Amino acid sequence: MRSSDSRSKLSIIVTGGGRGLGYEMAYALLQAGHRVLITGARHGDELNQAKQTLSAAIAGADVSTALADV
């Protein structure tokens, strides 16, 4: 369910968002209407693929990536 109240829209950083549990958390947060930054320490291509997949799966998804070792 997507919130139409812009005050409830959060900006969230998900570490390890390119795969596994991080990816699943990013997916759920995007479905809820939040802005998500997914990060990963390696594999910039993996992050870019995750961003493309998330953007294609969720209309209006506000997802960004950053290569970062957190």
Side-chain angles (χ1 to χ4, degrees), residues 26-45:
Y27 185 88
L29 291 164
L30 288 164
Q31 279 190 312
H34 302 293
R35 289 179 294 269
V36 176
L37 170 67
I38 57 175
T39 70
R42 297 179 298 276
H43 309 297
D45 290 339

Side-chain angles (χ1 to χ4, degrees), residues 3 5 12 19 33-34 36-37 47 54 59 70:
S3 172
D5 184 358
I12 302 167
R19 61 187 165 140
H34 302 293
V36 176
L37 170 67
L47 290 176
L54 290 166
V70 179

Side-chain angles (χ1 to χ4, degrees), residues 3-70:
S3 172
S4 62
D5 184 358
S6 63
R7 292 176 296 174
S8 65
K9 185 174 186 176
L10 302 175
S11 297
I12 302 167
I13 298 171
V14 177
T15 59
R19 61 187 165 140
L21 290 175
Y23 178 87
E24 295 300 325
M25 291 181 354
Y27 185 88
L29 291 164
L30 288 164
Q31 279 190 312
H34 302 293
R35 289 179 294 269
V36 176
L37 170 67
I38 57 175
T39 70
R42 297 179 298 276
H43 309 297
D45 290 339
E46 182 178 88
L47 290 176
N48 291 330
Q49 180 61 45
K51 178 182 177 179
Q52 290 176 357
T53 303
L54 290 166
S55 295
I58 302 166
D62 190 351
V63 58
S64 301
T65 62
L67 192 60
D69 189 358
V70 179

